[in-house]
Amino acid sequence: MRLIPLLLITATLTLNAGLKHLKLNQALDILEESNLEVQVSKYEEQMKFYDIAKVKAKNYGTLDLEITALRSNDAGNVFGFKMQSRSASFADFGFADFMGAIGQGAMQSGGDFGKFSQGLSLSGSSILAIEPKDLNYPKARNHILTKISYKVPLYTGGVLRNYKKITQKMYQMSQLDTQKLLSLKKYELKKTYYDVSLVNSFIYNLNSIRRNIKKLEIVIKQMQKEGYAVETDYLEVDAKLAEVDAMIDEARLNRKLAYHFLSFLLNQKVDSIVAPKHTPKVPRVTKDIIAQRNLDVAKANLGLQITKDNIEVKKAKFKPTVGAFAEYGKASDELFKYNKKGFYTVGIQAKMNLYNGGADKADLERAKVNFLKVSTQVKLAKEGMWLKAKKLKSQIKSLSARVKSYQKQYKFAQKVYQTYKAKYKEGIVSITDLLIKQSQEIEKLMKLLQIKNQKNAKVLELQNLING
């Protein structure tokens, strides 16, 4: 019985367990598959892909099935229903009343054709004035009409062809949007990894400083016994130890927050990572590389092609459109009663606008101007990205020099602290002087890591610029 609770506890711990010792290349692979924002962007891609299918489908026309059920006692409708179902008879025209009048005239003539003709000519107007009951007051009738029709464009002046090109390029644009978003998320992931690496370095160095402080406490205790140190010296060092401990706790908290952010990016819990040992590599960037690989430039080029296709769409308004139409149908007074008396209609239509006040001409000229505008924007995008790349390269060089400078300053601050520590033991300097030098050592360490962080961010930004 104890086995079941044990298994449940084990299963719960397994479910709550996060990724451990996650390497950067592994995280990048997970990011591409699991990041929620990237998944949303991929769904947008799929939607754009179906837009292509919608435009392509218009080339094949439309096939519609239409079933209409009607009931009416309106004379015009009933007569039309019978005509459409090919079931009209002379009785529907009121011939019963007409034939009755003719029969009565024949009976009155007694079989004399001459007398019948004479009587017909005299009473003809009254016979024609008869209002046939069957025609004017028909019985209500059901009418079930079934039609299938097919419409297809034969020539559209290139509208459909160019719309298809535009939708294909819009789909490619959505793919570039996904790549750009993925590139941004990779940048955020890499930066977080290098941030954690610097935090680890900061914690490591603070722990080293903490050990030195603990050793200093031991020295002070010994010096107190010999009468060379006072209680305030110990309290002052103890306060410095508390300050360093607080800095270590804050650094660990920042690392924990970084893990939370990584968990958000990967859509999986991350418990620990393998931080990079080396700084990110500065990529080779030239004007040609920017033009070939930068996604913003690629999007601008696609936009230029779309505006060119749009000009062709506007030109199509000056060309005729031709379409074909075919329809077949059957009509009956019962739902499932179909006879062989179907009907069909076929046709072809050509249409061309001759004049609309110059609106189409204005649309065409506007499209041409827009093409020129976007063409200029493409050049601007290339130059702008190259300018940004040069600025980043310059900033990286400057930060690299500052890193070297602060590395030397930090090493110097360490040596100064060790020197003052020896002087304190000899009673040459006070504990306050010693701790000031230690504060300067910590300050140089923090500044060094801050500059390293800035440099890493600029290098990763430059990588992101060429989507590397």
Side-chain angles (χ1 to χ4, degrees):
M1 293 298 291
R2 294 180 180 179
L3 181 60
I4 295 176
L6 182 61
L7 289 174
L8 289 174
I9 293 171
T10 305
T12 303
L13 291 174
T14 303
L15 288 173
N16 293 331
L19 299 170
K20 298 181 183 297
H21 310 299
L22 186 65
K23 295 180 180 179
L24 179 56
N25 58 342
Q26 294 173 326
L28 289 171
D29 291 337
I30 295 173
L31 176 75
E32 192 165 352
E33 296 298 326
S34 302
N35 183 266
L36 295 177
E37 292 179 78
V38 174
Q39 288 180 17
V40 170
S41 187
K42 287 181 178 179
Y43 290 137
E44 289 287 341
E45 277 185 38
Q46 293 180 23
M47 292 166 64
K48 296 294 183 183
F49 177 78
Y50 290 118
D51 287 341
I52 299 174
K54 283 173 59 179
V55 174
K56 186 178 179 181
K58 293 184 181 296
N59 288 290
Y60 305 113
T62 57
L63 181 66
D64 297 313
L65 174 65
E66 180 182 351
I67 300 176
T68 306
L70 303 171
R71 181 175 176 80
S72 177
N73 69 346
D74 180 88
N77 286 340
V78 172
F79 188 76
F81 292 164
K82 291 184 177 182
M83 290 287 290
Q84 193 171 38
S85 61
R86 302 184 190 274
S87 60
S89 64
F90 281 113
D92 296 317
F93 290 86
F95 269 71
D97 294 329
F98 178 76
M99 293 302 293
I102 294 296
Q104 186 179 2
M107 289 176 66
Q108 290 175 353
S109 66
D112 186 342
F113 183 75
K115 190 176 180 180
F116 172 74
S117 298
Q118 186 180 5
L120 186 63
S121 63
L122 292 174
S123 60
S125 58
S126 61
I127 292 173
L128 293 175
I130 294 173
E131 297 180 354
K133 183 179 180 181
D134 291 336
L135 183 61
N136 291 325
Y137 302 96
K139 294 180 180 179
R141 179 183 171 90
N142 295 329
H143 187 64
I144 312 298
L145 176 62
T146 303
K147 292 194 295 185
I148 185 167
S149 58
Y150 179 61
K151 299 176 184 178
V152 61
L154 300 178
Y155 178 71
T156 61
V159 170
L160 292 179
R161 182 179 68 254
N162 286 291
Y163 268 137
K164 183 181 176 182
K165 289 181 180 179
I166 290 173
T167 52
Q168 286 174 333
K169 291 180 178 67
M170 291 300 292
Y171 171 60
Q172 294 172 14
M173 188 86 76
S174 68
Q175 289 179 311
L176 289 177
D177 286 334
T178 300
Q179 291 179 35
K180 186 175 179 181
L181 177 63
L182 180 59
S183 181
L184 174 62
K185 296 304 159 185
K186 285 182 176 179
Y187 163 78
E188 292 176 352
L189 181 72
K190 290 177 182 178
K191 187 175 184 305
T192 305
Y193 260 73
Y194 286 105
D195 286 348
V196 170
S197 178
L198 290 176
V199 170
N200 287 343
S201 177
F202 186 50
I203 293 173
Y204 174 82
N205 284 285
L206 284 178
N207 279 321
S208 178
I209 291 172
R210 189 180 188 282
R211 287 192 295 272
N212 289 334
I213 294 174
K214 294 296 288 184
K215 290 177 182 178
L216 183 59
E217 282 184 336
I218 296 172
V219 170
I220 292 175
K221 286 288 185 181
Q222 293 175 348
M223 292 177 69
Q224 274 184 315
K225 292 177 181 179
E226 298 174 3
Y228 293 108
V230 295
E231 183 66 22
T232 54
D233 289 354
Y234 180 82
L235 294 175
E236 200 168 345
V237 171
D238 191 55
K240 174 59 70 173
L241 182 64
E243 180 185 346
V244 172
D245 284 340
M247 295 173 71
I248 292 173
D249 289 340
E250 184 181 357
R252 286 172 177 167
L253 179 61
N254 288 335
R255 183 171 60 188
K256 188 175 181 180
L257 290 174
Y259 286 156
H260 286 313
F261 183 61
L262 287 174
S263 300
F264 168 74
L265 286 176
L266 302 181
N267 196 27
Q268 295 183 46
K269 187 179 178 183
V270 177
D271 287 335
S272 63
I273 66 170
V274 178
K277 294 181 179 179
H278 305 287
T279 58
K281 185 179 179 181
V282 180
R284 178 175 174 270
V285 179
T286 65
K287 199 169 186 178
D288 288 337
I289 291 175
I290 288 288
Q292 293 170 10
R293 296 175 58 181
N294 181 264
L295 293 178
D296 287 319
V297 173
K299 286 183 66 177
N301 283 323
L302 265 180
L304 180 62
Q305 294 174 36
I306 289 173
T307 57
K308 187 176 181 181
D309 293 333
N310 191 48
I311 291 175
E312 298 303 315
V313 172
K314 301 303 180 184
K315 285 181 179 179
K317 293 183 178 181
F318 297 92
K319 300 175 184 178
T321 58
V322 183
F325 171 82
E327 180 182 86
Y328 179 79
K330 286 186 178 183
S332 175
D333 59 346
E334 295 180 16
L335 181 58
F336 297 108
K337 178 185 174 183
Y338 294 108
N339 51 41
K340 296 182 179 180
K341 301 174 182 178
F343 57 86
Y344 72 87
T345 306
V346 295
I348 189 168
Q349 182 189 57
K351 182 180 178 182
M352 182 175 180
N353 175 260
L354 298 178
Y355 179 72
N356 66 349
D360 290 342
K361 178 67 175 176
D363 276 347
L364 177 60
E365 294 304 319
R366 187 180 185 281
K368 289 179 178 179
V369 173
N370 189 46
F371 174 78
L372 295 175
K373 184 192 79 171
V374 176
S375 179
T376 305
Q377 287 176 330
V378 171
K379 295 178 182 177
L380 181 63
K382 291 179 180 178
E383 293 300 324
M385 288 300 145
W386 175 234
L387 178 62
K388 186 176 181 180
K390 289 194 291 186
K391 181 179 178 181
L392 286 171
K393 289 167 72 175
S394 176
Q395 290 173 330
I396 290 168
K397 287 181 179 179
S398 174
L399 290 168
S400 296
R402 293 179 67 187
V403 166
K404 291 179 180 179
S405 172
Y406 274 98
Q407 283 175 334
K408 292 179 180 180
Q409 291 181 46
Y410 175 57
K411 288 180 179 179
F412 177 71
Q414 285 179 310
K415 290 182 178 180
V416 169
Y417 170 76
Q418 295 297 331
T419 302
Y420 267 68
K421 185 178 178 181
K423 289 181 178 180
Y424 173 73
K425 290 179 181 179
E426 296 173 4
I428 300 175
V429 297
S430 67
I431 191 66
T432 302
D433 294 332
L434 176 61
L435 294 179
I436 287 174
K437 296 304 177 183
Q438 190 173 64
S439 296
Q440 290 175 352
E441 178 188 354
I442 295 173
E443 180 184 350
K444 297 299 180 183
L445 172 63
M446 293 177 65
K447 194 67 177 177
L448 171 61
L449 296 178
Q450 181 184 357
I451 299 300
K452 280 186 175 182
N453 185 54
Q454 292 176 10
K455 180 190 173 184
N456 289 345
K458 295 300 179 182
V459 173
L460 294 173
E461 193 175 344
L462 186 60
Q463 289 180 358
N464 185 52
L465 197 67
I466 59 170
N467 308 108

